[in-house]
Amino acid sequence: METATRARVLVVEDDRDMRDLLADALGRRGFVVMACASGVEALESLERADPDVVVTDIHMAGLDGLELCRRLTALRPAVPVIVITAFGSLETAIGGIRAGAWDFVTKPFEIETIAIAIDRAARHKALTEEVRRLREVVASSTRFEGLLGASPAMLRLFDLLNRVADSDATALVTGESGTGKELVARALHRLSRRRTGPFVAVNCAAVPETLLESELFGHARGAFTDARAPRAGLFLQAHGGTLLLDEIGELPLSLQPKLLRAVQERSVRPVGGDREVPFDVRIVVATNRDLATAVEEGRFRQDLYYRFDVVHLEVPPLRARTGDALLLAQHFLEGFAARGGKRVTGIARPAAEKLLAYDWPGNVRELQNCMERAVALTRYEQVTLEDLPERVRGWRPSQIVLGSDDPSELAPLEEIERRYILKVLGAVGGNKTEAARVLGLDRKTLYRKLERYGVSSD
């Protein structure tokens, strides 16, 4: 067995031959082994040693394994204890459980069996410590309200938010669906000097084109059939604060010139009105579209794009946020558990490994829904593998075999190119401009390749 951990193991055994056998066999399997000849010696060694797992025989002269287990549990509750016994009776098992034993191994045993038990116990301890650390991070992560992350990608975003928060420059927030672009816009508002003003958000894709102009700029009385009274638009409602124009890539082309004028002049003319009304607003726009490509295709005005792209905040996809999936999962778990009145405190190791391995195409929103489901389904104090959706449990990464000498396992060059292009597209969130840059292609060449591979350029 190749151990996946370099766990520190304290072996407590008063039989010298057995102690030497265990120390040698476990050492050859990659564990860092410390050996003690008695329970008293083991307790004394804790002052200078910090084991991940303790393995102790149950029948020893003086301080026996059960009493040692009780004392170890009191002194180091996070350290799992594996008890070795030649008596696999129910009474022995119950006594060990009461003493705080994490697992049992019955004599005679195979070295492989005890090595697997140690590896499992070490992983359990590591995950328990990670959950504790995550709770501390979650509890202290209030700098960006609603935003959590310890990955380099998120730390760079936090740094940029801090640097541009007090500026009135227009901000363009981009990222895949479900990454939390509105949360970034809200964090930008809360960090700014406009924090006491209103935060107003509108989804440009959710408002019918016939109503969007009135929604943004307002209207005068009698401007249209149902305009019985004048109404201030969102630009004026956000006066002194921040206005978020979400899904800006869906803004109708016919409305873009008027929006450009409003942004340039810092004033709006309500529908049916005859005068300009000034506003004082920090404008933030968000999109999951590639606006540069939309400009090239004539679906978005170039001058409006440059007006918006002053401060660019790219929200990374969850797959690019190393380790953040577990941090966010713990945060969501605690929220859903409190809301549902369930005692769910953490995530079991197999479930945590799947959460970290999964690609999260739906990003943070998908993870949030996954944890809501898991907390609702679980029957234990920890979310288990069975509580996760099948797509997460059964996920396997797709790989291209390059090192094989078997021709049947090797893919054609065109297939390798196709997979690599799609991999790059996924890594940059579908942004074809960025994908073309990474691939060393111009966009037209990229489009031709996508078309040849039967992949829509959308």
Side-chain angles (χ1 to χ4, degrees):
M1 168 192 167
E2 287 188 12
T3 60
T5 61
R6 285 279 298 169
R8 299 180 300 275
V9 183
L10 176 61
V11 174
V12 188
E13 171 61 74
D14 59 356
D15 183 298
R16 181 176 179 177
D17 291 338
M18 177 60 73
R19 185 171 67 248
D20 292 345
L21 172 67
L22 282 171
D24 179 62
L26 294 175
R28 282 188 281 107
R29 282 164 173 77
F31 296 107
V32 178
V33 183
M34 301 162 283
C36 294
S38 69
V40 172
E41 185 182 337
L43 291 175
E44 291 174 350
S45 73
L46 289 181
E47 297 179 4
R48 60 182 185 277
D50 184 23
D52 295 308
V53 182
V54 174
V55 179
T56 179
D57 194 358
I58 201 166
H59 292 287
M60 296 186 297
L63 191 67
D64 67 13
L66 290 183
E67 182 59 27
L68 174 62
C69 190
R70 273 189 285 270
R71 297 196 188 183
L72 285 172
T73 303
L75 289 171
R76 301 282 182 89
V79 178
V81 180
I82 297 173
V83 173
I84 300 175
T85 176
F87 307 95
S89 67
L90 180 62
E91 291 78 9
T92 302
I94 292 173
I97 291 169
R98 287 175 176 168
W102 190 83
D103 200 359
F104 286 90
V105 176
T106 304
K107 293 179 182 177
F109 57 80
E110 297 287 337
I111 290 295
E112 206 67 24
T113 301
I114 199 164
I116 290 171
I118 292 170
D119 192 56
R120 192 166 56 236
R123 289 174 180 273
H124 169 79
K125 178 176 180 286
L127 185 62
T128 301
E129 291 176 347
E130 176 68 4
V131 168
R132 177 186 56 77
R133 186 190 70 80
L134 291 176
R135 284 178 180 161
E136 292 174 355
V137 173
V138 168
S140 62
S141 294
T142 56
R143 186 169 60 141
F144 297 97
E145 209 167 316
L147 286 175
L148 292 174
S151 62
M154 287 303 287
L155 293 179
R156 286 193 296 269
L157 178 61
F158 293 164
D159 177 62
L160 187 55
L161 280 168
N162 266 330
R163 287 159 57 192
V164 304
D166 278 334
S167 166
D168 274 340
T170 303
L172 171 62
V173 184
T174 61
E176 297 177 16
S177 293
T179 51
K181 294 185 291 295
E182 182 171 339
L183 290 179
V184 170
R186 289 183 180 275
L188 189 61
H189 172 70
R190 292 190 182 100
L191 290 166
S192 74
R193 55 185 175 80
R194 294 176 176 271
R195 66 181 67 87
T196 57
F199 178 88
V200 178
V202 60
N203 187 325
C204 297
V207 181
E209 182 176 347
T210 53
L211 301 178
L212 187 55
E213 183 178 3
S214 172
E215 185 75 9
L216 291 174
F217 308 126
H219 60 254
R221 180 182 178 183
F224 45 84
T225 303
D226 294 327
R228 298 184 178 88
R231 179 181 180 275
L234 296 180
F235 274 90
L236 297 182
Q237 292 178 34
H239 186 77
T242 303
L243 174 64
L244 169 63
L245 302 176
D246 200 3
E247 302 291 356
I248 194 65
E250 308 301 326
L251 188 73
L253 197 58
S254 60
L255 195 55
Q256 292 179 24
K258 189 166 186 177
L259 179 58
L260 175 63
R261 177 177 173 78
V263 174
Q264 286 177 331
E265 303 298 328
R266 295 285 158 171
S267 64
V268 294
R269 177 174 293 186
V271 177
D274 56 5
R275 66 184 183 89
E276 298 281 336
V277 182
F279 62 82
D280 175 25
V281 168
R282 204 266 179 84
I283 299 171
V284 180
V285 299
T287 182
N288 61 359
R289 299 284 189 181
D290 180 359
L291 288 187
T293 299
V295 169
E296 277 201 357
E297 295 173 351
R299 294 183 287 108
F300 203 86
R301 290 179 62 106
Q302 187 178 54
D303 46 7
L304 185 59
Y305 169 60
Y306 288 133
R307 178 62 64 177
F308 287 152
D309 192 19
V310 179
V311 174
H312 191 165
L313 299 168
E314 176 73 29
V315 187
L318 188 52
R319 63 181 172 276
R321 299 172 54 180
T322 309
D324 279 355
L326 208 55
L327 171 67
L328 289 163
Q330 181 69 29
H331 169 69
F332 292 139
L333 178 149
E334 292 175 6
F336 289 127
R339 199 175 309 163
K342 293 187 72 172
R343 181 172 171 76
V344 185
T345 59
I347 305 166
R349 178 185 59 81
E353 290 177 347
K354 285 294 184 182
L355 293 175
L356 286 172
Y358 185 59
D359 213 25
W360 299 110
N363 291 297
V364 178
R365 187 182 297 126
E366 183 185 5
L367 174 60
Q368 184 176 17
N369 294 339
C370 171
M371 295 313 298
E372 183 175 14
R373 174 190 191 273
V375 170
L377 289 179
T378 191
R379 294 170 292 176
Y380 310 103
E381 290 191 7
Q382 288 190 325
V383 166
T384 67
L385 190 60
E386 291 69 30
D387 301 321
L388 302 180
E390 173 58 34
R391 66 181 182 278
V392 179
R393 296 199 307 269
W395 185 84
R396 294 288 185 277
S398 59
Q399 295 183 355
I400 299 171
V401 178
L402 294 177
S404 174
D405 293 325
D406 184 354
S408 66
E409 294 182 352
L410 298 173
L413 182 60
E414 187 175 50
E415 176 63 13
I416 291 176
E417 181 185 71
R418 185 187 74 84
R419 293 190 200 178
Y420 184 67
I421 286 175
L422 294 180
K423 179 71 174 176
V424 171
L425 270 173
V428 298
N431 186 320
K432 287 179 283 297
T433 302
E434 181 65 12
R437 185 192 66 78
V438 173
L439 292 164
L441 304 172
D442 58 69
R443 273 201 300 274
K444 290 181 180 179
T445 301
L446 177 59
Y447 289 156
R448 283 198 302 272
K449 288 181 179 293
L450 291 174
E451 185 177 354
R452 186 168 78 247
Y453 298 147
V455 179
S456 168
S457 63
D458 292 334

